[in-house]
Amino acid sequence: MAEKNMVEAIHDAMFEEMKRDDRIIVMGEDVGEGGVFRATDGFVAEFGEERCMDTPLAESCIVGAAIGASLNGIIPIAEIQFADFSHPAFDQLVSEAARLHYRSNGTWSCPIVVRTPYGSGIHGGPYHSQSIEAFYAHVPGLKVICVASPYDAKGLLKSAIRDPNPVVFLEHKKAYRAFRQEIPDGDYTIPIGQAETKREGSDISLITYGMMTHHSLKAAETLEQEDGTSVEVIDLRTVSPWDKERVLGSVKKTGKALIVYEDNITGGFGAEVAATIAQDAFDYLDGPVTRVASPDVPISPYSGILEEYILPNPEKIAEAIRKLAAY
Amino acid sequence: MVSVKEITGAEGLSRDQLLDLYYKMLLARTVGQRERMLNRMGKGPFAVTGEGHEALQVGTAYPLKPGHDWIVPYYRDIGVALTIGQTPLDLLLAHLSREGDISSGGRNMPSHFSDPRLHIVSGSAPVATHFPHAAGIALASKLRGLDELSVCYTGDGGTSTGDCHEAMNFAGVHKLPVIFVIENNQYAISVHVRKQFAVEDISIRAEGYGFPGVTVDGNDVLAVYAAMKEAVDRARRGDGATLIEGKTYRLVPHTSDDDDRRYRSREEVEEWTGKDPLVRYRNWLKENDVADEAKLDSLHEHAAREVDEATEQAEKAPTPKPESALDHVLIEERLAG
Amino acid sequence: MAITKEAIKTFGLTEEQLLEMHYKMLLARAVSVRQRVLQRMGKGPMTFSGEGHEAVQVGTAFALRPGRDWVFAYYRDVAVALTVGMTPVEILRGFFARRDDISSGGRNMPSHFSHPDLRIVSGSAPIATQIPHAVGAALAAKLRKLDEISVAYFGDGATSTGDWHESMNFAGVHKLPMVFVCEFNGYAISVPWRKQAAIENVAVRAAGYGFPGVTLNGNDVLEVYGAMTEAVKRARSGEGPTLIEAKTYRLQPHSSDDDDRRYRTREEVEQWAQKDPIVVFAMSLHELGVLDDKSEQELNDRVNREVDEATDKVEQESTPEPESALRHVFVEGGASNG
């Protein structure tokens, strides 16, 4: 066991996988010198410039070339420097990677991982802060993972690399260096599509993912101490496919569901979770299925004052828990 | 003292203009340094500056008509913004995310210049996404029969993007009054140009779009000015677009979050520091008797004072109201007409 | 006539190969014509035509090693698919959206060729999106030190896209073993080249990416073959990519949904019909003594018979099971990279 932060865990996952399988390469902007977040630190020294390849500044081609390389025996991990910069590659992800297997009637497949830092709370302004998971969770043929802890990041990234499908792997950048966590030495994986109950509870089910898991856990602690409300916190970890079974099981137990996500409230992934609960657990509900999310403004303004006003935080989550608990 | 007109390379600029060029370069350098200092002091979370690019930025902006021609800059263009008419205070209000920040009211990162009065258009962080905007502005100018041209700026990395290609091709097809300025400082953050493109001079791509491309010494402000002047004249005549590539060097890291020692040798940085465009132009001004040491020193003092005063004022300026974060998602009123 | 015995000798083509080229061109033409006829009969909702492009397509594909080199075709490339080894039956299964359609099992539109064994890779409809894939396949070949090259096919309109530019640039930087083939027919659906770019020959752009570009007569199959052979040799020897711009003309509307009379004069179409690459090549083969009236008739009969038989066969084949629409969203079974 060793204590690692999330960037180190991600680094280790890729490093170990590349040691294990020489078909795996990393490609992206600045990855050669270690990447702007240092996820590929030392990779060129270990694997050479070809397996840790600096690309021209062209995201559509980074993803497109990754698709092509995957057809010819390479397993590419494409790094997009910030999730906000993935939009020029939207077409390659949605119309190409996600549809290639289907449109060829299962004869071609494209095992690529597109890793990208996402999320807000680091003074990133409107172009280093976006949450993009809902765009891709909407697209059949892509798997979408949102991680915000070292242990999950390593286990899920390994699963993503070993998955025969295209995977969008979203790393919450505020979580990169915010915490350290004990991680087992050596190889382990976490199945894609499996949520984790980070905290057991009996009064309210709080369903969340990404950085909001940490904020939600804080809020749950506060509520336990101050109000005696027992909140169960479920981290989805994967938004596509997502763990309906665990979520519905918990809601059937507690009778109340609060969904917390960082993205804009309208059409955010939590809306899908809310709809599923309303449809499949209606008979068990003792209160309105409730969401806490960012208001519908571009996330997020650069000024710390403006950013704080927009984003969900432990206080806003605690307030929503109180309201829901009162039902 | 010889008349300025007789000085080779003075490009028909008056003595005052030659000094004004220098002052703008100085001011840009001073604002860049100040922002990085304020960041280290913990007063602003982020700084992205353009030290080393001043000749290229001031030299290209100088032949334009401020408030008339359109500027679509990128995040390194402090020298462009100041030459067109933004003040050190404007830039520092943005650096400190103050309510009065004309560029974005604290929403965008610093150095994402915007000023409607000056026709400086707000941009984003993804590279070269503003190139199509510049082409569109020039198209509108052409369609409306206006004498306004548009200029957009990016670095060497920006040339690899699809948007850059699509915008240049469009500008070529419609012979648009637009000038594409590439500030080639040889690095896209850490990625060297040899990994960015397989050609020596990116200006040769202009031929593939049907308009001229030139490569200039981006550390020679008068050479840059001359190339830009020609491009501006072409655009105003209706002869279409030009691509100008200025070879230069960023003397500082990419941003306050970057450590350039990981990818650039200190010898290389040192070598380019020896080619500092400010020092070079200062020597030229002295050698050609445009100004003496004392005069040039006084300009330095003036710039330092101007930036000091702006800093003081910006630090005292109010921060944005938190709830203003909800404003301006959509326009509430209907469009006129 | 550009084709002489000497010129052919320099390409090292045998008489049999010349006839094979002619046969592939005829076959492609016949398959296209057949699809248009069937579409008008209401037997399929949609066709794309490659008529007029046969010399570019056969001339380039003939220089490849089927099943080894990678082909990223676009929807006009029926002759590329046939030359690399797809059969009229396979093409028509795509047209009729039959269950056994190798390209897509009835999921993609016709003429979106795919055949894993032949390394023809499935493509989409948005223009030029396959070009980065071709780059990636070539990159993989280089990284894995394989003796495989990759070819990207596209029309003139594709050269305006970001994906085209990003791909050309990437291929230049990494000196990839690939060939970019522009089937320049002067129109992107209705938009003429002068509205697409402000230059005459798009091949000049190759210099901006650090590799050679050539412009040639795309209606001369041997000129195309010669240039492609050079480009393939360059790619195989590690010298990097080439852009081939083959000037040709689409003799039919863009697709069965298009009416080209709105944007092309009949005189222009007629003028190009005079330069029909199949007619031109047949005349050359006659002059060379490779083809005579009798053998030409036999060849035509063979092609027609083949397409007739394929049509009859495919028409009777099963359509896909409706619920198969739910399959293959993700890879099924235990396939894993672990």
Side-chain angles (χ1 to χ4, degrees):
Chain A
M1 298 285 269
E3 278 220 327
K4 301 267 182 181
N5 68 28
M6 193 167 91
V7 176
E8 290 162 351
I10 286 162
H11 171 281
D12 293 355
M14 291 192 286
F15 193 92
E16 289 168 21
E17 288 299 284
M18 287 171 78
K19 280 288 216 189
R20 179 184 63 80
D21 186 339
D22 62 12
R23 294 175 299 170
I24 301 169
I25 68 166
V26 172
M27 56 198 292
E29 293 151 11
D30 301 290
V31 297
E33 64 93 22
V36 298
F37 289 104
R38 319 300 306 143
T40 52
D41 200 9
F43 277 36
V44 166
E46 180 66 29
F47 302 110
E49 285 195 355
E50 285 199 330
R51 290 188 65 201
C52 181
M53 178 180 288
D54 273 333
T55 61
L57 202 165
E59 286 80 8
S60 187
C61 193
I62 292 173
V63 175
I67 293 169
S70 79
L71 302 175
N72 192 9
I74 293 287
I75 300 170
I77 305 171
E79 177 180 304
I80 301 293
Q81 199 160 80
F82 287 90
D84 319 62
F85 304 172
S86 69
H87 305 326
F90 191 78
D91 187 42
Q92 286 292 343
L93 277 163
V94 173
S95 282
E96 303 299 327
R99 280 166 164 74
L100 177 63
H101 187 65
Y102 186 78
R103 79 180 181 219
S104 65
N105 205 21
T107 56
W108 291 103
S109 58
C110 106
I112 64 169
V113 180
V114 177
R115 277 186 52 239
T116 189
Y118 83 109
S120 196
I122 58 141
H123 298 293
Y127 302 100
H128 299 79
S129 302
Q130 296 175 30
S131 288
I132 64 168
E133 68 276 10
F135 304 151
Y136 296 111
H138 182 67
V139 180
L142 294 177
K143 296 189 176 181
V144 184
I145 294 168
C146 295
V147 293
S149 80
Y151 179 83
D152 290 348
K154 185 173 177 185
L156 278 161
L157 183 51
K158 286 194 169 214
S159 293
I161 293 167
R162 297 175 194 186
D163 198 282
N165 296 289
V167 181
V168 176
F169 193 85
L170 303 177
E171 302 160 5
H172 202 291
K173 68 178 90 67
K174 193 176 170 69
Y176 270 152
R177 293 189 167 77
F179 341 87
R180 304 187 76 80
Q181 194 178 15
E182 288 279 336
I183 288 190
D185 296 322
D187 195 44
Y188 71 95
T189 58
I190 296 171
I192 294 173
Q194 205 175 83
E196 189 182 45
T197 305
K198 299 276 184 188
R199 185 183 196 281
E200 303 266 350
S202 53
D203 298 331
I204 287 178
S205 300
L206 192 159
I207 301 104
T208 187
Y209 56 92
M211 195 58 207
M212 290 302 132
T213 302
H214 302 285
H215 291 344
S216 298
L217 285 168
K218 254 184 215 159
E221 289 301 327
T222 306
L223 266 288
E224 179 92 62
Q225 284 162 21
E226 295 181 3
D227 300 23
T229 306
S230 168
V231 182
E232 180 149 301
V233 178
I234 296 175
D235 180 357
L236 291 178
R237 304 193 292 194
T238 303
V239 298
S240 180
W242 66 283
D243 196 343
K244 290 178 193 161
E245 210 170 303
R246 181 174 291 260
V247 169
L248 291 171
S250 172
V251 173
K252 286 174 185 175
K253 180 179 75 176
T254 63
K256 286 176 181 169
L258 178 68
I259 301 139
V260 181
Y261 53 103
E262 178 179 320
D263 198 0
N264 302 116
I265 190 158
T266 302
F269 187 73
E272 178 63 30
V273 178
T276 303
I277 293 169
Q279 187 167 332
D280 294 347
F282 181 76
D283 292 342
Y284 300 84
L285 290 172
D286 297 325
V289 179
T290 304
R291 290 180 289 162
V292 174
S294 294
D296 291 330
V297 307
I299 295 174
S300 61
Y302 173 73
S303 149
I305 293 164
L306 301 179
E307 184 172 46
E308 203 178 316
Y309 184 77
I310 293 299
L311 293 177
N313 57 29
E315 294 71 39
K316 292 178 192 175
I317 298 166
E319 196 188 312
I321 296 173
R322 284 201 177 93
K323 254 192 186 163
L324 185 55
Y327 273 90
Chain B
M1 188 175 285
V2 292
S3 128
V4 169
K5 285 213 170 79
E6 293 168 49
I7 300 169
T8 318
E11 306 304 338
L13 290 164
S14 72
R15 175 194 162 88
D16 283 352
Q17 288 174 316
L18 289 170
L19 287 175
D20 192 31
L21 275 178
Y22 185 62
Y23 185 70
K24 291 292 194 302
M25 290 167 69
L26 263 179
L27 202 57
R29 173 69 55 96
T30 313
V31 170
Q33 288 172 336
R34 179 59 49 90
E35 290 194 27
R36 286 192 296 110
M37 191 182 89
L38 289 169
N39 167 264
R40 280 196 302 270
M41 291 165 70
K43 298 201 175 180
F46 184 71
V48 52
T49 62
E51 287 99 306
H53 287 229
E54 292 89 349
L56 192 44
Q57 294 174 359
V58 175
T60 48
Y62 211 75
L64 300 172
K65 292 194 239 175
H68 179 82
D69 295 328
W70 293 75
I71 314 296
V72 194
Y74 83 125
Y75 50 73
R76 221 172 286 294
D77 285 328
I78 289 175
V80 174
L82 290 170
T83 305
I84 294 300
Q86 285 207 292
T87 63
L89 178 61
D90 289 333
L91 302 196
L92 289 164
L93 287 170
H95 177 76
L96 298 171
S97 300
R98 293 307 197 242
E99 188 175 28
D101 158 31
I102 176 78
S103 290
S104 83
R107 288 144 186 261
N108 236 339
M109 282 183 157
S111 297
H112 287 56
F113 315 99
S114 167
D115 201 323
R117 298 162 309 187
L118 295 170
H119 283 184
I120 298 175
V121 181
S122 170
S124 68
V127 170
T129 48
H130 58 305
F131 267 50
H133 310 168
I137 288 166
L139 176 69
S141 198
K142 189 184 164 191
L143 293 177
R144 297 176 62 203
L146 301 175
D147 172 41
E148 297 167 7
L149 51 94
S150 103
V151 185
C152 65
Y153 293 83
T154 193
D156 36 291
T159 63
S160 296
T161 65
D163 276 349
C164 175
H165 169 67
E166 295 179 11
M168 288 194 187
N169 186 47
F170 190 86
V173 170
H174 294 283
K175 263 197 165 187
L176 297 181
V178 56
I179 299 163
F180 301 103
V181 179
I182 308 299
E183 303 184 26
N184 180 349
N185 66 20
Q186 305 166 55
Y187 288 89
I189 309 188
S190 76
V191 179
H192 190 261
V193 280
R194 78 183 149 72
K195 294 183 183 175
Q196 197 67 243
F197 40 74
V199 289
E200 181 70 29
D201 298 328
I202 204 68
S203 61
I204 73 161
R205 286 197 182 154
E207 194 194 339
Y209 303 113
F211 53 79
V214 288
T215 296
V216 289
D217 178 346
N219 280 17
D220 179 347
V221 67
L222 294 178
V224 171
Y225 175 83
M228 186 68 177
K229 185 81 176 46
E230 204 181 318
V232 167
D233 292 345
R234 251 183 70 76
R236 287 216 206 283
R237 279 199 309 269
D239 289 345
T242 304
L243 166 60
I244 295 179
E245 174 193 26
K247 299 264 171 102
T248 186
Y249 198 80
R250 142 166 80 68
L251 296 173
V252 293
H254 164 60
T255 66
S256 51
D257 291 339
D258 178 40
D259 178 3
D260 67 322
R261 286 169 305 184
R262 290 197 308 253
Y263 56 86
R264 305 196 299 192
S265 72
R266 290 308 90 183
E267 293 68 40
E268 184 184 291
V269 178
E270 198 46 51
E271 187 195 324
W272 278 93
T273 305
K275 302 183 209 171
D276 187 327
L278 264 80
V279 176
R280 184 164 159 187
Y281 188 44
R282 183 186 169 103
N283 289 338
W284 185 91
L285 290 169
K286 281 193 293 185
E287 281 160 19
N288 290 281
D289 293 325
V290 180
D292 58 18
E293 200 77 26
K295 171 72 186 166
L296 293 168
D297 285 346
S298 77
L299 291 179
H300 278 253
E301 283 158 28
H302 193 271
R305 205 163 47 242
E306 198 179 336
V307 176
D308 283 346
E309 284 167 12
T311 308
E312 218 172 294
Q313 209 179 328
E315 288 202 80
K316 280 190 220 145
T319 53
K321 290 172 190 64
E323 62 276 19
S324 75
L326 301 180
D327 298 342
H328 307 307
V329 177
L330 293 169
I331 297 169
E332 302 300 336
E333 315 88 65
R334 282 164 192 270
L335 275 176
Chain C
M1 201 59 51
I3 303 167
T4 63
K5 283 194 172 162
E6 287 67 38
I8 290 169
K9 238 179 249 163
T10 61
F11 300 136
L13 288 165
T14 63
E15 287 195 3
E16 287 69 33
Q17 287 175 309
L18 291 172
L19 285 172
E20 179 71 5
M21 282 177 149
H22 188 49
Y23 162 69
K24 294 291 189 196
M25 288 167 69
L26 283 171
L27 191 62
R29 177 69 56 93
V31 169
S32 283
V33 171
R34 177 59 49 91
Q35 289 184 81
R36 285 194 292 109
V37 171
L38 290 166
Q39 195 274 337
R40 280 199 297 269
M41 290 165 70
K43 301 210 172 180
M46 175 85 187
T47 66
F48 291 96
S49 167
E51 289 147 87
H53 287 227
E54 290 89 349
V56 188
Q57 295 174 1
V58 173
T60 49
F62 211 79
L64 302 175
R65 290 182 298 195
R68 189 139 168 210
D69 296 326
W70 292 78
V71 176
F72 294 82
Y74 78 124
Y75 51 75
R76 222 170 285 298
D77 284 326
V78 63
V80 172
L82 290 166
T83 304
V84 171
M86 283 181 82
T87 63
V89 166
E90 287 171 332
I91 306 282
L92 289 171
R93 280 181 183 146
F95 172 81
F96 283 109
R98 289 304 190 240
R99 184 193 64 199
D100 296 334
D101 159 32
I102 178 72
S103 291
S104 83
R107 288 141 188 262
N108 236 339
M109 278 183 162
S111 295
H112 287 57
F113 313 101
S114 170
H115 200 303
D117 291 344
L118 296 170
R119 295 199 163 164
I120 299 172
V121 180
S122 168
S124 67
I127 296 297
T129 50
Q130 78 281 12
I131 307 176
H133 309 167
V135 165
L139 176 69
K142 189 184 168 195
L143 295 178
R144 298 176 62 202
K145 300 184 174 47
L146 302 174
D147 178 32
E148 299 167 4
I149 68 163
S150 138
V151 185
Y153 287 93
F154 47 87
D156 37 291
T159 63
S160 297
T161 66
D163 274 350
W164 182 84
H165 166 70
E166 295 183 7
S167 300
M168 293 280 287
N169 186 48
F170 195 107
V173 170
H174 292 282
K175 268 196 162 189
L176 296 182
M178 65 179 297
V179 185
F180 295 90
V181 179
C182 178
E183 302 184 25
F184 185 109
N185 66 21
Y187 289 88
I189 306 188
S190 74
V191 178
W193 177 246
R194 72 184 156 75
K195 293 186 184 174
Q196 196 69 244
I199 49 172
E200 191 176 336
N201 297 323
V202 79
V204 303
R205 287 193 185 153
Y209 303 107
F211 56 82
V214 288
T215 302
L216 48 79
N217 176 4
N219 279 18
D220 180 339
V221 67
L222 292 182
E223 187 176 338
V224 173
Y225 176 76
M228 186 69 176
T229 309
E230 276 303 305
V232 167
K233 204 191 299 170
R234 263 181 58 80
R236 285 207 206 288
S237 60
E239 292 170 62
T242 305
L243 168 62
I244 291 179
E245 175 190 26
K247 303 275 196 189
T248 185
Y249 198 80
R250 148 166 73 70
L251 296 172
Q252 292 297 327
H254 160 66
S255 72
S256 50
D257 292 339
D258 177 40
D259 178 1
D260 67 324
R261 287 169 303 182
R262 291 195 310 248
Y263 56 84
R264 303 196 300 193
T265 65
R266 291 308 90 185
E267 292 69 39
E268 183 183 293
V269 177
E270 191 45 46
Q271 202 186 334
W272 277 92
Q274 298 302 317
K275 302 186 237 176
D276 185 327
I278 296 181
V279 176
V280 169
F281 192 47
M283 280 168 60
S284 305
L285 293 177
H286 273 280
E287 281 170 30
L288 290 165
V290 175
L291 200 65
D292 58 25
D293 289 349
K294 183 164 168 281
S295 57
E296 186 174 15
Q297 190 55 50
E298 281 169 10
L299 199 58
N300 281 323
D301 289 347
R302 177 184 155 201
V303 164
N304 289 333
R305 200 168 49 244
E306 209 175 323
V307 176
D308 284 345
E309 284 169 10
T311 309
D312 291 344
K313 176 175 162 52
V314 175
E315 274 205 88
Q316 287 160 29
E317 288 184 348
S318 317
T319 52
E321 289 82 31
E323 62 278 16
S324 76
L326 299 179
R327 289 190 57 193
H328 303 306
V329 176
F330 291 105
V331 174
E332 295 170 358
S336 160
N337 306 316

